[in-house]
């Protein structure tokens, strides 16, 4: 009898603490999500420039090693497209990956491409993945078109293209 | 006056880190900068006060046989709440303290105060005890991080832990002579060892003086 009483007491304490935790979670979760996006926002607005709203998409990315996060851009309630944050290993090795955003529009084109960090790539060679000509080779193309790599910067640019392909694959499986 | 003594003992006479040697794991790990130490100190004060007050309120209804599991559930809940709140409102501090916020759960200071003080004393006394112990912990980690940051980076800086962009003060005096060992874990042990030795020295000297006075 006594042991039942003890177990019951412990169960009540655990139940109460669970309730307390869930209410704090409800309170803080939107702020945490917002803060996560705020740190990304200055880059996101370079792609979707007309005041779209961004929301982090909860999705399983374990099959896509290059993808770090997915954001949904919407305006007035209708989804405009999805922005993928990618991190791929270029010439700088795994410790200084190339981090960039690639946006896939709802109409089936690559809407934008912004490099956040390519500091590990060789200046004048791998660093060309940041430059306008390479960007022009991506933005505006239809999903599924092949993207040209840069001669002289093969490792860096094919790493980027590989990440874009993973993003495309994820997009086609989840949002199409 | 007795109430003030309860508060005061945590600061020096029973300082959790320098005298009781509790909670050393976090004290060694997070003391790389003053800002981290201040943030961690405040998180510990919050958890300690709440856990002491709650446990003291419940001390008469918690069955003696399962008091430790109940204490741990209460402490773990509080720590998780503090962790979520920090993640939401002080993301930079949350990042830099990393795994040591959840580890406040196993910080022996908190369970130690619950077991040895809050479960036997009233709410007001427990609150004062928690405040004193928490401030003592904060004071101790600030002292350790003061030496580690000064020697390890050649300068000192303090940011508002709630807003990393707000600089309280920052200077760099001899960064070219910085001993980076002191930002490593080994430096934490060396610093703590030297401080403990100094405190021991003060203690022994005081005892000797007291003895001499007695003889005379």
């Amino acid at each position: 009898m006594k042991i039942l009483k003890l177990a019951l007491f412990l169960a009540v304490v655990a139940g109460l603490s669970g309730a307390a935790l869930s209410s704090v979670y409800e309170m803080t979760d939107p702020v945490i999500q917002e803060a996560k996006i705020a740190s990304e926002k200055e880059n996101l607005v370079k792609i979707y420039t007309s005041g779209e709203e961004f929301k982090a998409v909860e999705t399983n990315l374990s099959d896509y090693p290059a993808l770090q996060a997915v954001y949904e851009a919407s305006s007035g309630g209708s989804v405009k497209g999805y922005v993928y944050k990618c991190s791929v290993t270029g010439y700088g090795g795994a410790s200084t990956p190339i981090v960039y955003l690639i946006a896939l529009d709802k109409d089936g084109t690559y809407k934008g491409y912004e490099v956040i960090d390519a500091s590990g790539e060789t200046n004048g060679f791998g660093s060309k993945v940041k430059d306008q000509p390479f960007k022009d080779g991506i933005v505006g193309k239809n999903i599924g078109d092949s993207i040209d790599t840069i001669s002289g910067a093969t490792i860096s640019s094919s790493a980027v293209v590989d990440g874009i392909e993973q993003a495309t694959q994820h997009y086609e499986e989840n949002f199409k | 006056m007795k109430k003030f003594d309860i508060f005061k003992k945590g600061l020096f006479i029973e300082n959790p880190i320098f005298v009781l040697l509790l909670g050393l794991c976090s004290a060694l790990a997070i003391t790389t900068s003053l800002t981290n130490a201040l943030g961690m100190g405040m998180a510990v004060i919050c958890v300690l006060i709440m856990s002491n007050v709650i446990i003291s309120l419940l001390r008469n209804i918690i069955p003696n046989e399962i008091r430790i599991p109940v204490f741990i559930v209460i402490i773990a809940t509080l720590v998780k709440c503090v962790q979520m709140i920090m993640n939401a409102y002080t993301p930079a501090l949350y990042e830099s303290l990393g795994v040591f916020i959840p580890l406040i759960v196993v910080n022996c200071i908190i369970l130690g105060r619950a077991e040895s003080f809050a479960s036997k004393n009233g709410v007001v006394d427990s609150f004062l005890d928690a405040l004193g112990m928490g401030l003592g912990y904060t004071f101790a980690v600030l002292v350790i991080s003061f030496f580690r940051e000064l020697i390890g980076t050649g300068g000192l800086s303090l940011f508002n832990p709630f807003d990393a962009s707000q600089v309280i003060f920052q200077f760099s005096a001899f960064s070219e002579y910085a001993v980076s060992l002191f930002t490593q874990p080994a430096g934490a042990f060396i610093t703590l060892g030297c401080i403990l030795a100094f405190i021991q020295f003060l203690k022994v000297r005081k005892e000797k003086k007291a003895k001499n006075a007695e003889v005379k």
Side-chain angles (χ1 to χ4, degrees), chain A residues 95-110:
Chain A
S95 57
T96 48
I98 311 173
V99 183
Y100 60 95
L101 298 172
I102 178 81
L104 287 86
D105 221 30
K106 227 15 197 182
D107 63 12
T109 56
Y110 292 112

Side-chain angles (χ1 to χ4, degrees), chain A residues 2 5-7 9-10 13-14 16-18 20-22 24-29 31-32 35, chain B residues 58 61-66 69-70 73-74 76-78 80-82 84-85 87-89 91:
Chain A
K2 172 136 203 189
K5 220 169 137 191
L6 293 181
F9 187 87
L10 203 52
V13 170
L16 285 177
S17 76
L21 278 178
S22 73
V24 173
Y25 177 81
E26 288 296 320
M27 203 178 75
T28 54
D29 190 52
V31 186
I32 294 172
Chain B
L58 298 176
I61 59 166
I62 296 176
N64 197 38
E65 296 90 334
I66 52 163
V70 172
V73 169
I74 293 172
T77 309
L78 291 169
K80 194 68 200 167
C81 291
V82 167
M84 287 192 282
I85 291 168
N87 190 359
Y89 298 104

Side-chain angles (χ1 to χ4, degrees), chain B residues 4-34:
Chain B
F4 184 69
D5 283 342
I6 292 173
F7 167 71
K8 197 182 67 179
K9 73 179 188 318
L11 287 180
F12 299 107
I13 309 161
E14 281 183 31
N15 186 298
I17 289 186
F18 290 153
V19 181
L20 302 181
L21 301 182
L22 291 175
L24 288 184
C25 157
S26 64
L28 291 171
I30 52 92
T31 49
T32 47
S33 76
L34 281 176

Side-chain angles (χ1 to χ4, degrees), chain B:
Chain B
M1 204 56 213
K2 178 130 189 305
K3 296 255 183 270
F4 184 69
D5 283 342
I6 292 173
F7 167 71
K8 197 182 67 179
K9 73 179 188 318
L11 287 180
F12 299 107
I13 309 161
E14 281 183 31
N15 186 298
I17 289 186
F18 290 153
V19 181
L20 302 181
L21 301 182
L22 291 175
L24 288 184
C25 157
S26 64
L28 291 171
I30 52 92
T31 49
T32 47
S33 76
L34 281 176
T35 314
N36 278 357
L38 190 61
M40 184 70 174
M42 286 193 286
V44 169
I45 291 177
C46 284
V47 174
L48 195 50
I49 287 179
M50 288 191 289
S51 80
N52 256 18
V53 167
I54 292 174
I55 286 165
S56 157
L57 281 172
L58 298 176
R59 70 185 188 280
N60 292 326
I61 59 166
I62 296 176
N64 197 38
E65 296 90 334
I66 52 163
R67 64 179 193 286
I68 302 283
V70 172
F71 293 166
I72 292 186
V73 169
I74 293 172
I75 295 168
T77 309
L78 291 169
V79 169
K80 194 68 200 167
C81 291
V82 167
Q83 185 189 356
M84 287 192 282
I85 291 168
M86 285 175 85
N87 190 359
Y89 298 104
T90 61
L93 184 66
Y94 177 78
E95 289 276 309
S96 65
L97 292 180
V99 74
F100 294 101
I101 306 173
L103 281 180
I104 299 176
V105 176
V106 288
N107 191 320
C108 357
I109 300 170
I110 293 165
L111 187 62
R113 291 334 284 173
E115 168 73 7
S116 70
F117 199 93
S119 62
K120 302 190 187 86
N121 291 281
V123 177
V124 179
D125 287 357
S126 300
F127 172 81
L128 290 173
D129 176 70
L131 189 65
M133 283 290 164
L135 286 173
Y137 175 87
T138 311
F139 167 71
V141 288
L142 280 174
V143 169
I144 301 173
S145 63
F146 172 82
F147 288 112
R148 284 186 70 191
E149 191 178 348
L150 187 66
I151 305 173
T153 66
L156 283 174
S157 60
L158 185 62
F159 303 97
N160 184 345
F162 299 103
D163 178 9
S165 59
Q166 211 177 322
V167 183
I168 297 172
F169 67 82
Q170 189 171 23
F171 77 93
S172 182
F174 48 92
S175 49
E176 62 269 38
Y177 301 112
V179 186
S180 61
L181 171 73
F182 276 81
T183 60
Q184 304 295 316
F189 281 103
I190 295 173
T191 314
L192 183 67
C194 292
I195 296 174
L196 289 182
F198 180 69
I199 288 172
Q200 194 63 26
F201 163 75
L202 289 182
K203 226 184 197 169
V204 169
R205 203 176 61 167
K206 203 173 158 193
E207 273 165 17
K208 251 187 199 158
K209 256 187 194 160
K211 224 180 227 169
N212 285 346
E214 246 171 54
V215 172
K216 275 169 198 169

